[in-house]
Amino acid sequence: RDRVEPDRLALVDEAIETTANNTALNLSICFNYGARGEITKAARRLATEVAAGRLMPDDISIDVMGAALDTDGIPDPDLLIRTSGELRLSNFLLWQLAYTEFVFLEAYWPDFNKDMLVQAIESYRERSRRFGGLATRSTG
């Protein structure tokens, strides 16, 4: 938060306050975030635990690794909307996006509007999600 411009931080705080009692969706805002750095820090945390004898290497599972990430406790995204016409993740939530559905839009973020959001959600709802297994219909 200390590296975010005050006017932008005020908008973030307003969004947090406005949505504080919402229960249907999670919105994550990542500033100065990089997934490679997050994964590296998690590996370093786990290596420290192993070196101290508090964790055995064979005990490092997907769940243990996930719990070591900065995003522990935040559900993995069901949908990622990527604006600006880019067709890449840009070092964003690499671990968490394993089973996320993607929508790519040509519009830049400042031009993103309600109609585009509705279109992205409709696209998501039409998909069959497999989560690495059998197909299931989206519930979004």
Side-chain angles (χ1 to χ4, degrees), residues 73-102:
I74 300 172
D76 290 346
D78 291 309
L79 173 64
L80 174 80
I81 302 170
R82 178 64 158 117
T83 58
S84 76
E86 298 290 346
L87 300 176
R88 58 188 167 87
L89 296 180
S90 302
N91 194 26
F92 185 72
L93 297 176
L94 298 176
W95 178 276
Q96 300 83 347
L97 294 176
Y99 297 111
T100 299
E101 297 292 325
F102 295 9

Side-chain angles (χ1 to χ4, degrees), residues 6 9 15-16 32-34 51 71 78 94 102 105 109-110 115 118 120 122:
L9 192 55
I16 290 170
N32 297 320
Y33 165 86
T71 53
D78 291 309
L94 298 176
F102 295 9
L105 300 175
W109 175 248
D115 290 337
V118 168
E122 285 302 315

